[in-house]
């Protein structure tokens, strides 16, 4: 089939693309960012903090007179086995146009058929974001021309999104002053991804890779509730945790599985109307989000304070990682008319109460629930945020304390020696030989005095690297503390 | 599905009927009412069943039959131009394969040895599929449309691709980017459209049956113009996968045959749910031919109790008087068969035409966006992206297609959406409701298939509004998604041998079975009409 499919395709060069196309180049090339995929939001912040503080110094004078308003549109690529409307699999980084078919290439006569997993995942996220679900929803066509859009329209949702009116809870990191936040979610809707353009080095022609075309996305639109870069970055980080907890996406920013477009405007304190908003793209890490937003706020505040607020125009700006600043990508020439209308090739999406209830019952414990539970267990917010950041770590912790291990000690072991080991060995917690049961046993053995803390550490590294049981290792290495012998002799 | 009316297994019946033809045409142009002195010609028989008998009785081989059809195409197509592409090589190869199968006494499908024409907007993997457009010149699809693969699984042999108005946008086949097809009844007239090539090919016996597509009457109107049977199934009955989209919520693939039985047999083969088309119905598919009753065993009132509603608005002003007379005669014929015929009014009828043109244009403006020259089809070299799009589409599309893209783009634009698209959707709901209530009172509704018989080539080409107005009889049925059968019911003055008139029968959703049953009885009992055009006799 693969062979015949290519008969119809001509991933064709179009010579001398316009300047807009050149500028757009950067938007699509997420892969040029060099953040390691394993970074966490918290690690990001530490670096961010230093840079922001220098920049904010010069702005500190004007900053208190203005208020920034930030809203975020996030695209989450769903980790379904096949694309949204055809049976092609999607694997990031595969050979260009190796995972395409008549449907995702938009060949004449091909029709979309919805992958039901997309609805399931959308409902999962809608519920997790405390949204109201639309039991009778539909798909619409969003129409525009671009070479990465094979059909000339994107199948999306317009006036009846699958979920609306939710919120997301999060706790800011302690190093940023801490505090609980609740940000509104305007809507969540389902749509398909576009392909990718590959530009040749000399710029004489471009090529289209349609592997990504038709991959399911959820677009999450926030209320304009964020006020600072760190709030925005934390919002995105919490969304990432959520989609990973829900198992609906790998949430990987470097691969483009989680993409954030940020709208920033600034207004004088007390003013009711919003200022002119500017959209920022090319944000490939939480740290970049944080820095880009704070830069943009400072830029706009400066213009306001100099009486040049009219210089702030509705436009899309790009974050330039090298220069650490935002630059104009394209000015908006009036509102784009996407000529939305209901997609006639797909029937309406109707949910039943039972379908939704079954999904609700299958939801895992979400990050916010975990944080509140750990809080009641007496853990500090710093510990809580560390543990909850990665669901596998949190699960490991939960399994450890399920065996009645001391909560604080378990947290310390996981965040201390185990985390250090994982970092050194570049492993995830699921890849080590140590089981939560044995960690519990280890903690219990130290607490009861069977072994010393120092020996416990030695055993820990054995367990991490080779596995085995605490009891086995104690016997094998004859590590029982001397005092215990005295005790028995008594 | 045995038809005992199939008495003459040989294809000679064509000639035998034609011998009566020219003689009678002068005395009886309109209907069955005028009696002639000659013995009545036999009613149309199923060519599909004839072929089956011929092949299985070893009277002729499939290769010989293929030769007959190919020769007929070679002779008549230079005049008719029904086909955009004829695949002689694959036809002979597939015929040889079939002959080997028959020789080995293997089971053959219900369409074995049936030579089919396929409208050029239905994808065929081994033949170009251009949808009559320059923008898809030489485009060869990567796959067979579901309807085509189903036909092939049933043993059908695809002869070639038939001419059509570009992307189905037109009612005369004059909007084809390649050629104008002539009406087999009168070469100076249009065959109708947009499936004009499929209709004229069946009419001129260039193929046994053919596939067309019907978005606003594109199967039924050419069937009427060419004197063949045309069936537009219920929306969702036949998969649209592989049908080049014009207006997705209205498009259906339909069937042409020279008899009702052939049309039913073809529908049997292509119907059913398809997992590649989310709008295809999961309803069970009955055997559409099981209800056919042989003429010999019909009682005197075979349609006793059948409630037939004549749509009043379709016999009003603007419809040729001769057409009205033909339909009135068909009504009398139905009454003779035992039907109770009453007039029904569909108040929303006249609203259907503008609503149709808004909805169809809107959807087409979107469906045709994919022809941008980037991945397939003709591409115009350009210096930058926007001019690549502009040049490719400016040169690739014909003027009617551009007109509809413009209208549709306008109707969907911000600020106009509510006044046009949304309003038209509301009209569509009204149309659906009025059909529903009319069909609650009646088993079937009848109307002409077109307000006139075939007109002259060029007559309406430069008057798009006149061309659009000709679709008044058919578009409402698409808006309601209902099935409709068109079959020839009479001849009117015009051309060397008269021009056929089609009777449209509209049924409730998914009730093609009833339409075919009634249509079959009507056809088998219709007196003194023979719908074989002169050109088929010449060959």
């Amino acid at each position: 089939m693969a062979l015949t499919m290519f008969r119809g395709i001509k991933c064709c060069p179009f010579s001398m693309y316009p300047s807009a196309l050149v500028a757009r180049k950067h938007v699509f090339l997420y892969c040029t960012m060099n953040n390691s995929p394993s970074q966490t939001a918290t690690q990001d912040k530490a670096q961010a903090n230093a840079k922001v503080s220098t920049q904010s110094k010069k702005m500190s004078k004007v900053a208190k007179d203005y208020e920034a308003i930030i809203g975020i549109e996030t695209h989450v690529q769903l980790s379904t086995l096949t694309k949204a409307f055809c049976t092609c699999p999607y694997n990031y980084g595969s050979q260009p146009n190796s995972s395409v078919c008549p449907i995702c290439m938009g060949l004449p006569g091909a029709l979309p058929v919805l992958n039901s997993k997309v609805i399931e995942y959308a409902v999962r996220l809608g519920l997790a974001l405390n949204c109201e679900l639309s039991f009778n929803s539909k798909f619409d066509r969003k129409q525009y021309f671009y070479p990465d859009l094979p059909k000339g329209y994107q199948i999306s949702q317009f006036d009846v999104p699958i979920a609306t009116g939710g919120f997301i809870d999060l706790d800011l990191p302690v190093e940023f002053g801490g505090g609980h936040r609740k940000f509104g979610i305007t809507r969540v809707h389902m749509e398909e991804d576009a392909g990718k353009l590959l530009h040749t080095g000399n710029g004489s022609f471009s090529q289209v890779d349609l592997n990504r075309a038709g991959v399911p996305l959820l677009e999450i639109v926030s209320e304009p509730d964020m006020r600072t870069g760190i709030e925005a970055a934390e919002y995105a980080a919490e969304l990432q945790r959520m989609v990973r907890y829900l198992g609906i996406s790998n949430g990987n920013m470097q691969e483009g599985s989680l993409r954030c477009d940020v709208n920033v405007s600034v207004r004088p304190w007390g003013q009711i109307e919003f200022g002119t908003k500017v959209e920022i793209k090319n944000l490939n890490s939480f740290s970049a989000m944080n820095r880009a937003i704070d830069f943009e706020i400072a830029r706009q505040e400066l213009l306001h304070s100099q009486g040049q607020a009219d210089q702030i125009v509705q436009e899309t700006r790009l974050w330039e990682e090298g220069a650490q600043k935002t630059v104009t990508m394209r000015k908006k020439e009036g509102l784009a008319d996407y000529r939305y209308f209901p997609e006639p090739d797909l029937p309406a999406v109707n949910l039943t109460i039972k379908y939704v209830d079954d999904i609700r019952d299958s939801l895992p414990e979400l990050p916010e629930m975990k944080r509140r539970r750990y809080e009641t267990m007496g853990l500090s917010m710093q510990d809580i945020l560390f543990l909850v950041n990665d669901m596998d770590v949190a699960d490991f912790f939960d399994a450890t304390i399920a065996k009645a291990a001391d909560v604080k000690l378990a947290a310390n072991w996981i965040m201390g020696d185990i985390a250090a080991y994982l970092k050194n060995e570049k492993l995830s917690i699921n890849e080590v030989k140590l089981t939560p049961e044995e960690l519990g046993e280890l903690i219990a053995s130290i607490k009861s005095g069977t072994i010393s803390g120092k020996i416990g550490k030695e055993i820990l590294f054995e367990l991490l690297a080779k596995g085995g049981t605490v009891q086995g290792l104690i016997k094998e290495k004859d590590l029982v503390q001397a005092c215990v012998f005295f005790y028995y002799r008594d | 599905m045995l038809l005992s009316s199939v008495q003459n297994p040989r294809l000679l019946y064509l000639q035998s009927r034609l011998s009566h033809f020219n003689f009678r045409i002068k005395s009886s142009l309109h209907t069955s009412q005028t009696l002639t002195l000659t013995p009545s010609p036999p009613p149309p028989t199923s060519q599909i069943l004839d072929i089956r008998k011929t092949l299985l009785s070893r009277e002729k081989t499939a290769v010989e039959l293929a030769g007959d059809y190919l020769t007929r195409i070679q002779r008549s197509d230079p005049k008719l131009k029904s086909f955009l592409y004829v695949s002689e090589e694959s036809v002979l190869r597939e015929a040889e394969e079939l002959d080997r199968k028959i020789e080995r006494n293997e089971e053959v499908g219900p369409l074995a040895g049936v030579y089919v024409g396929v409208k050029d907007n239905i994808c065929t993997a081994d033949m170009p599929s251009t949808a009559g457009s320059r923008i898809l010149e030489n485009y060869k699809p990567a796959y067979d449309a579901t309807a085509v693969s189903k036909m092939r699984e049933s043993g059908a042999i695809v002869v070639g691709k038939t001419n059509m108005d570009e992307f189905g946008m037109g009612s005369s086949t004059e909007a084809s980017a390649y050629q104008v097809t002539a009406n087999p009844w009168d070469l100076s007239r249009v065959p109708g459209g947009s499936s004009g090539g499929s209709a004229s090919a069946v009419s001129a016996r260039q193929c046994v049956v053919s596939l067309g597509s019907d978005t606003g009457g594109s199967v039924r109107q050419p069937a009427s113009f060419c004197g063949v049977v045309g069936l537009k199934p219920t929306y969702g009955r036949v998969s649209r996968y592989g049908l080049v989209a014009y207006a997705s919520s209205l498009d259906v693939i339909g069937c042409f045959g020279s008899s009702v039985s052939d049309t039913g047999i073809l529908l049997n083969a292509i119907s059913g749910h398809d997992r590649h088309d989310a709008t295809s119905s999961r309803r069970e598919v009955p055997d559409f031919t099981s209800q056919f009753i042989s003429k010999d065993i019909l009682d005197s009132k075979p349609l006793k109790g059948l409630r037939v509603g004549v749509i009043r608005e379709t016999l009003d002003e603007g419809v040729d008087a001769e057409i009205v007379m033909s339909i009135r005669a068909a009504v009398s014929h139905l009454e003779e068969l035992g039907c109770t015929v009453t007039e029904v009014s569909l108040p929303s009828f006249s609203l259907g035409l503008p609503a149709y043109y808004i909805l169809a244009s809107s959807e087409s403006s979107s469906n045709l966006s994919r022809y941008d020259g980037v991945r397939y089809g003709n591409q115009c070299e350009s210096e930058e992206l926007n001019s690549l799009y502009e040049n490719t589409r400016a040169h690739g599309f014909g003027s009617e297609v551009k007109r509809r893209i413009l209208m549709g783009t306008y109707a969907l634009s911000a600020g106009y959406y509510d006044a046009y698209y949304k309003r038209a959707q509301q009209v569509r709901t009204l149309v659906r409701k009025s059909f529903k209530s009319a069909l609650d009172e009646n088993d079937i509704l009848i109307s002409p298939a077109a307000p006139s018989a075939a007109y002259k080539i060029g007559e309406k080409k430069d008057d798009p509004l006149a061309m659009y107005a000709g679709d008044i009889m058919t578009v409402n049925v698409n808006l309601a998604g209902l099935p409709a059968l068109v079959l020839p019911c009479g001849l009117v003055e015009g051309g060397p041998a008269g021009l056929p008139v089609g009777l449209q029968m509209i049924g409730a959703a998914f009730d093609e079975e009833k339409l075919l049953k009634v249509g079959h009885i009507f056809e088998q009992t219709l007196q003194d009409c023979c719908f074989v055009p002169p050109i088929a006799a010449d060959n």
Side-chain angles (χ1 to χ4, degrees), chain B residues 178-459:
Chain B
Y178 302 99
Q179 61 195 32
V180 177
T181 300
N183 190 316
W185 291 82
D186 176 356
L187 297 180
S188 70
R189 288 174 193 270
V190 300
S194 63
S195 313
S198 288
S200 87
V202 170
S203 172
R205 274 56 178 176
Q206 293 174 317
C207 56
V208 184
V209 288
S210 62
L211 288 186
S213 70
D214 191 315
T215 306
S218 288
V219 163
R220 291 161 287 156
Q221 183 250 25
S224 174
F225 280 17
C226 294
V228 295
V229 180
L231 176 71
K232 173 221 175 280
T234 312
Y235 184 82
R237 178 62 99 188
V238 178
S239 167
R240 290 186 295 120
Y241 190 73
L243 169 65
V244 174
Y246 160 21
S248 314
S249 73
L250 301 161
D251 292 342
V252 286
I253 289 180
C255 316
F256 289 99
S258 57
S259 65
V260 173
S261 338
D262 282 353
T263 315
I265 296 169
L266 181 57
L267 183 66
N268 267 348
I270 62 173
S271 293
H273 177 69
D274 176 13
R275 62 187 178 82
H276 293 301
D277 176 3
T279 61
S280 74
S281 169
R282 288 177 187 277
R283 258 172 204 259
E284 229 173 273
V285 181
D287 179 353
F288 296 113
T289 58
S290 65
Q291 299 278 316
F292 292 161
I293 307 163
S294 157
K295 191 194 175 195
D296 306 334
I297 55 166
L298 285 181
D299 53 34
S300 60
K301 301 275 182 210
L303 293 176
K304 198 168 171 9
L306 189 86
R307 297 162 305 165
V308 176
V310 184
I311 304 173
R312 183 181 303 144
E313 289 80 2
T314 62
L315 298 174
D316 268 358
E317 276 171 55
V319 184
D320 283 4
E322 287 188 302
I323 300 285
V324 176
M325 278 172 68
S326 292
I327 301 301
R328 298 258 180 241
V331 166
S332 313
H333 182 56
L334 283 167
E335 278 170 339
E336 276 167 32
L337 293 171
C339 298
T340 319
V341 185
T342 50
E343 269 204 359
V344 293
S345 174
L346 297 177
S348 58
F349 191 83
S350 63
L351 301 176
L353 195 66
Y356 165 80
Y357 272 95
I358 286 171
L359 294 175
S361 301
S362 298
E363 291 185 23
S364 71
S365 74
S366 173
N367 283 329
L368 269 55
S369 298
R370 66 185 61 191
Y371 307 108
D372 56 6
V374 174
R375 283 147 293 125
Y376 48 78
N378 276 340
Q379 182 191 58
C380 288
E381 286 268 327
S382 301
E383 288 297 299
E384 50 96 40
L385 185 61
N386 279 332
S387 56
L388 170 91
Y389 288 145
E390 285 163 13
N391 295 340
T392 300
R393 289 166 70 84
H395 292 108
F397 290 139
S399 59
E400 183 57 34
V401 170
K402 285 179 199 159
R403 178 156 38 238
R404 296 200 194 183
I405 291 175
L406 283 174
M407 288 196 294
T409 305
Y410 183 82
L412 289 176
S413 295
Y416 298 98
Y417 181 89
D418 286 359
Y420 293 105
Y421 185 83
K422 207 170 162 192
R423 201 85 197 285
Q425 284 289 23
Q426 288 162 346
V427 170
R428 188 175 187 172
T429 308
L430 278 182
V431 168
R432 213 176 260 153
K433 277 184 187 155
S434 66
F435 266 115
K436 175 88 175 58
S437 60
L439 283 164
D440 284 344
E441 306 288 313
N442 294 282
D443 294 300
I444 61 166
L445 303 176
I446 60 170
S447 80
S452 72
Y455 42 84
K456 293 272 185 186
I457 289 170
E459 193 178 323

Side-chain angles (χ1 to χ4, degrees), chain A residues 125-354:
Chain A
L125 186 64
L127 290 171
L129 290 171
N130 311 293
C131 289
E132 194 172 311
L133 295 174
S134 307
F135 280 81
N136 300 297
S137 163
K138 64 178 171 88
F139 284 97
D140 300 279
R141 291 184 182 176
K142 177 181 180 176
Q143 311 191 64
Y144 62 94
F145 284 99
Y146 204 62
D148 65 6
L149 191 68
K151 297 189 292 295
Y153 56 84
Q154 177 193 33
I155 302 177
S156 181
Q157 293 195 285
F158 180 49
D159 51 346
V160 195
I162 186 94
T164 50
F167 59 86
I168 194 166
D169 280 292
L170 55 90
D171 289 275
L172 291 181
V174 183
E175 63 268 32
F176 287 96
H180 186 83
R181 295 284 189 280
K182 184 184 284 241
F183 297 129
I185 301 291
T186 313
R187 59 185 277 163
V188 177
H189 73 248
M190 304 176 272
E191 61 184 28
E192 59 176 339
D193 211 341
K196 267 183 191 168
L197 291 187
L198 309 166
H199 303 278
T200 51
N202 61 9
S204 63
F205 66 94
S206 300
Q207 292 172 302
V208 188
D209 173 9
L210 294 178
N211 280 345
R212 206 180 62 178
V215 171
L217 300 177
L218 291 180
E219 181 175 323
I220 303 124
V221 182
S222 82
E223 289 289 305
D225 287 351
M226 281 71 76
R227 295 291 174 268
T228 62
I230 190 64
E231 283 187 354
E234 276 304 314
Y235 163 86
E238 181 68 9
L239 260 186
Q240 184 190 57
R241 278 189 284 274
M242 198 169 266
V243 298
R244 286 177 175 173
Y245 269 60
L246 292 170
I248 62 174
S249 169
N250 66 25
N252 196 325
M253 287 183 101
Q254 282 69 42
E255 291 177 10
S257 308
L258 185 99
R259 286 168 254 165
C260 294
D261 297 336
V262 179
N263 284 301
V264 179
S265 68
V266 160
R267 65 182 171 192
W269 268 110
Q271 183 180 306
I272 292 160
E273 313 84 63
F274 292 146
T276 307
K277 75 175 176 197
V278 167
E279 189 183 14
I280 314 175
K281 283 180 180 281
N282 199 31
L283 302 171
N284 300 299
S285 67
F286 301 122
S287 133
M289 267 179 90
N290 186 354
R291 281 174 284 132
I293 291 168
D294 283 344
F295 174 89
E296 182 59 25
I297 293 172
R299 186 184 74 86
Q300 292 185 26
E301 281 174 349
L302 190 65
L303 288 169
H304 268 284
S305 68
Q306 293 168 344
Q308 294 179 314
D310 56 344
Q311 302 268 308
I312 305 168
V313 291
Q314 202 169 341
E315 61 178 344
T316 302
R317 294 177 74 87
L318 280 185
W319 172 243
E320 287 201 343
E321 195 66 43
Q324 290 288 301
K325 62 176 190 177
T326 64
V327 293
T328 299
M329 175 180 141
R330 57 163 184 256
K331 305 242 193 258
K332 292 243 160 101
E333 295 158 6
L335 268 178
D337 185 355
Y338 291 118
R339 290 174 285 116
Y340 282 100
F341 79 104
E343 165 60 280
D345 287 332
L346 292 169
V349 178
N350 297 318
L351 307 178
T352 62
I353 293 174
K354 183 179 183 306

Side-chain angles (χ1 to χ4, degrees), chain A residues 94-111:
Chain A
S94 44
Q95 275 293 101
N97 297 313
S98 62
S99 194
V100 291
C101 73
I103 298 165
C104 55
M105 286 197 294
L107 294 193
L111 296 170

